[in-house]
Amino acid sequence: MNDLDVRLRALLPRGRVLTSPAQLAAYGADGLGYKNYRPDAVVLPADAAELAAFMRGAKRLAVPLVMRGAGTSLSGGPVAAQGGVIVHTSALKAVPVINAHGFWCEVESGVTLNDLDAILKPHGVFYPPDPSSGPVCTLGGNVASNAGGAHCFRYGVTSNYVLGVEAVLLDGSVHRFGGPAGGRGPWREDWKRFMIGSEGTLAAFTRFWLRLLPLPEKVWTFRATYPDLTTTEAAIHALVADPSYPAAIEMLDPRGVAMVESSQMACGLPEGSFLLLVEIDGPAPLVDGRVPHVAELLRRAGSTDVTFSEEALIRQKLWKARKAAGGLLGQLSPSYVVQDAVIPKRALAEVLRLVYDEADAAGIRVVNVFHAGDGNLHPNFLFDSRVPGELEKVERISKHLMERVIAVGGTLSGEHGIGNDKSGYMPLVFGPDSMRLQLAVPAAFNPTHQMNPLKVFDDRRFGS
Ligand SMILES: Cc1cc2nc3c(=O)[nH]c(=O)nc-3n(C[C@H](O)[C@H](O)[C@H](O)COP(=O)(O)OP(=O)(O)OC[C@H]3O[C@@H](n4cnc5c(N)ncnc54)[C@H](O)[C@@H]3O)c2cc1C
């Protein structure tokens, strides 16, 4: 046993410290599998009290600490880029309170999104943010990356639903920022907003109070295919401006359609088409009355292939195809990078053309599957990191993409966060003054950068 082993085992009970190479191998990467950083150890606190006790001693370990939920991040967030200890929250799985009348719940940070959905459903309420990684991603990861999802077009992202955060700081002190009523507690200002989206750089989250909504009475899902980018973009603009106010507007390009159709998720999409998946929901009489109008809008924009359904099985099949797209990409290629830019919707076709042109010219396959309603682009670049030069090509295209995104008024991340994948692009958006102000927040909570170093800002290095 090395020195770190011994000190970790003094902080946590038997079985809660992993150090063998085989155990650590599973924690080397996040969703960006090609970037691997072996941690020195992984700890698995049994509950919030054990996590707080660990944090009280962790400062003295003098190694980086990296919080990890399910590790589905696509930005290089929950990885030990500077070595150190990964704190895996998988055991924090309680949902102690569901207050359906007050429309809030209390949930621990290791609960997975789909488990929370299933627990809430019988109470007639739901938690709207819905990243496609829902079967495995945790609320801790969602809050730390301010996750979005398909239905965030209308409902808003994670930050719109967090009423309170329980966080353990580096000195082991436990704080509640906000609470069930969204109150501020002893903290005079809205400190929870600092925590949301902090990507593990400020504190370890153990518990949240989340806002819920009543389940919509009726849902209709539309499938419309288009022959080209221009007509697809016209349909998106028409939907966004329409008073039917869809909950979700998702897009798959022809390469995404081909991928779905050659998988078990095939649902009869025409070859070569751009797919829009649109959903409207709300009170039954209201939503039913809007169906013909939305179908007509989709046709008028240029689709000769519009279908729609309220039946759960048909709707689920379409959503499964959309949500499984990320997993299918992993089967197509040894490595892939998903970019996560946000652009004004007027620039959609222009930026997508740049993506196709640059990727095609470099011989890199690209598939676009994204939340079109909120202008959240996700070009997936497929490559083989073992082939010399391939990664460099993808990085070059990604940089050109980000430059164009910023030139048209967009920004670096809509929902995946910055991690260490996009930290190098931060100066494209933020000047020195803004960077200095942003660094003032970790300077207060995590002055030595012990928590998640080398993330978000390239020069946040522990010990420097
Ligand atoms: C197939 C696929 C589809 C996806 N679709 C979407 C999507 O539609 N929308 C979207 O927003 N994202 C999506 N993602 C990205 C990812 O799932 C989300 O960012 C998710 O929120 C990460 O949750 P996680 O539990 O896996 O967190 P992790 O990946 O483990 O961690 C993410 C970040 O949160 C920090 N963190 C984790 N737990 C804690 C904690 N308890 N306290 C403090 N910090 C913590 C980590 O340090 C890290 O910086 C997708 C990913 C995949 C693989």
Side-chain angles (χ1 to χ4, degrees):
M1 269 202 272
N2 64 31
D3 183 46
L4 180 63
D5 257 14
V6 174
R7 290 187 296 150
L8 287 172
R9 283 170 215 277
L11 290 176
L12 285 156
R14 206 179 148 80
R16 302 254 155 232
V17 179
L18 312 180
T19 48
S20 80
Q23 290 167 325
L24 300 183
Y27 291 91
D30 63 353
L32 293 182
Y34 71 94
K35 276 189 183 171
N36 216 287
Y37 310 88
R38 171 79 64 87
D40 298 310
V42 173
V43 297
L44 300 132
D47 51 32
E50 213 169 271
L51 197 153
F54 167 75
M55 291 293 281
R56 273 193 290 280
K59 201 170 179 179
R60 286 194 306 277
L61 294 173
V63 296
L65 302 174
V66 181
M67 297 304 299
R68 186 163 171 121
T72 64
S73 153
L74 292 168
S75 60
V79 291
Q82 203 188 333
V85 178
I86 285 187
V87 183
H88 191 186
T89 59
S90 57
L92 277 69
K93 283 211 166 299
V95 183
V97 185
I98 296 169
N99 185 330
H101 299 295
F103 292 100
W104 62 271
C105 67
E106 181 181 325
V107 51
E108 286 193 333
S109 57
V111 172
T112 68
L113 192 63
N114 280 16
D115 281 354
L116 180 65
D117 277 351
I119 292 168
L120 294 177
K121 207 168 180 184
H123 298 269
V125 288
F126 81 117
Y127 171 72
D130 60 341
S132 305
S133 49
V136 286
C137 71
T138 66
L139 268 307
N142 292 176
V143 174
S145 9
N146 194 12
H151 290 79
C152 295
F153 171 60
R154 179 161 93 217
Y155 286 108
V157 296
T158 301
S159 57
N160 298 103
Y161 293 90
V162 180
L163 298 168
V165 177
E166 182 181 79
V168 187
L169 303 191
L170 258 178
D171 59 2
S173 57
V174 180
H175 300 270
R176 291 190 174 190
F177 304 113
R184 294 173 180 175
W187 297 82
R188 289 174 57 80
E189 306 303 334
D190 191 1
W191 291 82
K192 66 176 182 292
R193 297 298 297 224
F194 280 138
M195 298 292 137
I196 303 163
S198 60
E199 300 193 34
T201 64
L202 299 185
F205 306 150
T206 43
R207 181 185 309 265
F208 308 109
W209 291 270
L210 302 175
R211 188 162 77 90
L212 307 173
L213 295 183
L215 272 170
E217 190 184 6
K218 193 76 177 279
V219 183
W220 285 88
T221 307
F222 297 74
R223 190 201 97 165
T225 58
Y226 292 87
D228 53 50
L229 203 47
T230 310
T231 48
T232 318
E233 192 186 306
I236 294 167
H237 287 305
L239 284 163
V240 168
D242 195 73
S244 61
Y245 202 3
I249 307 173
E250 296 285 293
M251 178 175 151
L252 256 81
D253 74 357
R255 305 170 195 209
V257 164
M259 182 179 75
V260 165
E261 286 307 306
S262 56
S263 77
Q264 284 181 336
M265 307 294 164
C267 43
L269 302 170
E271 194 186 334
S273 61
F274 289 80
L275 167 72
L276 284 188
L277 193 58
V278 178
E279 199 149 272
I280 57 171
D281 65 14
L286 196 85
V287 184
D288 289 348
R290 287 176 175 168
V291 170
H293 168 74
V294 174
E296 182 51 27
L297 177 153
L298 291 167
R299 282 190 205 101
R300 245 186 296 126
S303 177
T304 52
D305 169 41
V306 178
T307 62
F308 43 91
S309 180
E310 59 186 314
E311 276 180 41
L313 278 180
I314 298 175
R315 296 182 39 248
Q316 277 162 13
K317 194 169 179 193
L318 281 171
W319 278 111
K320 252 193 188 156
R322 160 63 186 96
K323 295 216 166 192
L328 293 173
L329 287 163
Q331 294 169 19
L332 280 186
S333 168
S335 325
Y336 74 99
V337 170
V338 188
Q339 282 306 342
D340 164 42
V342 182
I343 50 164
K345 282 177 282 287
R346 64 177 155 70
L348 191 71
E350 174 195 338
V351 177
L352 275 181
R353 280 193 192 105
L354 170 104
V355 168
Y356 290 129
D357 290 349
E358 294 237 350
D360 292 350
I364 298 289
R365 281 192 295 169
V366 64
V367 176
N368 287 285
V369 182
F370 58 98
H371 310 310
D374 31 21
N376 191 183
L377 286 190
H378 288 328
N380 296 270
F381 298 107
L382 312 183
F383 67 106
D384 187 342
S385 59
R386 297 162 303 184
V387 176
E390 289 238 313
L391 177 59
E392 289 71 20
K393 282 185 193 168
V394 171
E395 285 176 341
R396 221 170 12 252
I397 302 167
S398 297
K399 179 144 191 282
H400 291 166
L401 167 65
M402 286 307 175
E403 285 166 352
R404 180 67 65 87
V405 160
I406 287 150
V408 299
T411 195
L412 302 179
S413 172
E415 52 176 22
H416 295 169
I418 302 295
N420 67 2
D421 189 49
K422 282 185 283 189
S423 47
Y425 302 136
M426 290 284 280
L428 293 178
V429 185
F430 302 109
D433 283 350
S434 165
M435 296 279 260
R436 204 180 54 243
L437 277 177
Q438 292 185 60
L439 280 162
V441 182
F445 287 93
N446 177 21
T448 59
H449 305 310
Q450 189 173 3
M451 296 203 69
N452 221 4
L454 301 180
K455 310 296 166 59
V456 189
F457 301 95
D458 271 346
D459 50 1
R460 279 188 60 258
R461 175 175 283 278
F462 177 52
S464 66

